[in-house]
Amino acid sequence: MKLAFIIDPIHQLDPCHDTSIALMEAAQILGHEIWVTQANLLSVVDSTACAMLQQVELVPIQLVEGSWRAVNPWYRLSDSCFTSLDRMDAVFMRTDPPVNDSYLYATYVLDYIDQDKTLVINRPSGIRGANEKMYALQFTNAIPETIVSADKELIRKFVEAKGAAIIKPLGNKAGEGILFLQSGDRNFNSIVELSTLRGRLPVMVQTYLPKAKEGDKRIILLNGEPIGALNRLSSGSDFRNNMAAGGTVAPTTITAREHEICREIAATLRQDGLTFVGIDVIGGYLTEVNVTSPTGIREIDRLDDTSLGEQVISWVEEALKTEKPHQ
């Protein structure tokens, strides 16, 4: 297969952590061609999605004394060529958030890939329709008590009723801008004003889950089915469990309740073309559905001695064999 990955600049990625590299490495090991591009290098010419692409060859990382190790340099790029994305068997949209104008415009370009020729993961319209905070709200049996609002008084009433809450910006990633707020906090007005840009921007306000102290579980789903999980734990100096915020990771299992959550959301994910997804679960509650560039594969592979990347690429192989891609 020829596989294209739309990523952030490759020199900025960490081969020992980034899931995009894990997927590309797995595809190379399985004998496929790997091409890379960036969102700003996409075009539409003659009503066809095109990109400035470079073929990449990777030096696979190695597990040494329990840690991933990479050589330097760990990749080699070919010269650039401008070509139709229809020539690819599959295209992975793996640009990191925020989902700003540039990101949205890139998904519109990807709509012009011929869906009878090329599989796009995740579906561009699915990415546009699935704000990673808001998307979870439709699964009412799975989420904690939550409101979304820019109204200071509505937020105040919610926090006072719950005692403590988490405020989340709707467009950030990796725990950026997430704040802990307690009833009676003397900084309440300032926190809400800063988070909502003085009432101009809605935020998610979610009841605080004490189980967060025991970790924030990331579960990877492939075509609606859970294939691996890890538990993220805060550093102790920060209430956030995100790896990017200094959190550590630990092995875990997927509980019966978490399998129930996966079953509840699976049909909707498939319907929306969200093939590769990472969900976040705290204390048996779904808190986020990550659809843009979900991560965690490297850590799960290290902890569980598995290769989730090869599972994903093998699924793509089978999907392309059994039926035409349909976005």
Side-chain angles (χ1 to χ4, degrees):
M1 297 188 299
K2 290 186 176 182
L3 306 178
F5 289 79
I6 304 166
I7 56 174
D8 295 306
I10 193 168
H11 69 272
Q12 296 178 6
L13 302 186
D14 178 354
C16 297
H17 168 69
D18 279 290
T19 287
S20 296
I21 304 302
L23 294 171
M24 290 191 285
E25 184 182 291
Q28 177 178 288
I29 289 170
L30 292 172
H32 304 300
E33 283 186 22
I34 314 304
W35 297 78
V36 294
T37 187
Q38 296 167 209
N40 64 310
L41 301 178
L42 303 178
S43 303
V44 177
V45 178
D46 295 329
S47 298
T48 299
C50 302
M52 189 66 71
L53 292 159
Q54 291 177 282
Q55 190 170 357
V56 61
E57 292 183 20
L58 305 169
V59 180
I61 62 172
Q62 301 292 325
L63 193 60
V64 179
E65 297 179 350
S67 298
W68 292 121
R69 302 285 175 83
V71 300
N72 187 21
W74 54 270
Y75 67 91
R76 183 169 66 248
L77 293 170
S78 71
D79 292 335
S80 298
C81 63
F82 186 76
T83 189
S84 165
L85 290 173
D86 290 347
R87 298 183 63 186
M88 299 291 126
D89 293 289
V91 173
F92 286 78
M93 178 53 170
R94 293 281 309 170
T95 305
D96 280 344
V99 181
N100 51 20
D101 286 349
S102 174
Y103 206 116
L104 289 172
Y105 296 158
T107 69
Y108 289 127
V109 173
L110 296 180
D111 283 335
Y112 284 88
I113 293 176
D114 186 340
Q115 54 192 275
D116 290 325
K117 295 180 180 178
T118 303
L119 178 66
V120 184
I121 302 173
N122 286 320
R123 184 190 298 168
S125 61
I127 292 174
R128 288 196 297 271
N131 175 276
E132 298 186 325
K133 307 296 189 294
M134 296 286 290
Y135 192 76
L137 297 180
Q138 63 190 296
F139 307 112
T140 54
N141 294 326
I143 63 169
E145 292 182 85
T146 303
I147 64 169
V148 175
S149 181
D151 187 281
K152 185 191 297 184
E153 291 312 309
L154 183 60
I155 295 171
R156 185 191 305 277
K157 289 177 183 177
F158 182 86
V159 174
E160 288 177 351
K162 305 307 171 190
I166 301 294
I167 292 183
K168 299 179 181 181
L170 296 180
N172 288 3
K173 64 178 177 68
E176 295 169 352
I178 294 179
L179 299 168
F180 175 78
L181 191 57
Q182 286 182 296
S183 177
D185 192 321
R186 294 174 63 186
N187 294 307
F188 176 89
N189 286 337
S190 293
I191 288 172
V192 174
E193 287 165 6
L194 288 169
S195 297
T196 65
L197 301 183
R198 291 188 174 272
R200 296 192 300 274
L201 196 69
V203 293
M204 173 172 281
V205 188
Q206 210 160 58
T207 186
Y208 175 68
L209 299 170
K211 287 280 188 178
K213 295 175 182 177
E214 299 174 14
D216 181 344
K217 193 174 292 189
R218 164 60 57 85
I219 302 174
I220 301 295
L221 284 80
L222 176 62
N223 197 34
E225 298 292 332
I227 61 172
L230 61 87
N231 197 29
R232 298 172 295 183
L233 301 160
S234 73
S235 61
S237 60
D238 195 320
F239 73 92
R240 298 171 299 174
N241 295 315
N242 306 75
M243 288 181 281
T248 57
V249 297
T252 190
T253 57
I254 301 174
T255 67
R257 165 62 176 163
E258 290 157 355
H259 276 291
E260 180 184 324
I261 291 172
C262 293
R263 286 191 295 271
E264 181 178 345
I265 70 176
T268 304
L269 294 177
R270 295 188 190 107
Q271 175 184 301
D272 292 341
L274 299 173
T275 301
F276 186 73
V277 166
I279 65 170
D280 296 338
V281 180
I282 297 175
Y285 289 99
L286 175 67
T287 60
E288 288 187 26
V289 180
N290 299 273
V291 305
T292 50
S293 59
T295 192
I297 276 187
R298 287 299 201 201
E299 290 73 21
I300 295 170
D301 285 350
R302 175 174 61 82
L303 295 169
D304 293 349
D305 190 25
T306 187
S307 178
L308 298 190
E310 290 192 19
Q311 288 188 48
V312 173
I313 301 303
S314 295
W315 181 89
V316 173
E317 291 174 345
E318 290 303 311
L320 291 171
K321 284 178 186 176
T322 57
E323 59 184 76
K324 287 183 178 180
H326 179 68
Q327 305 307 317

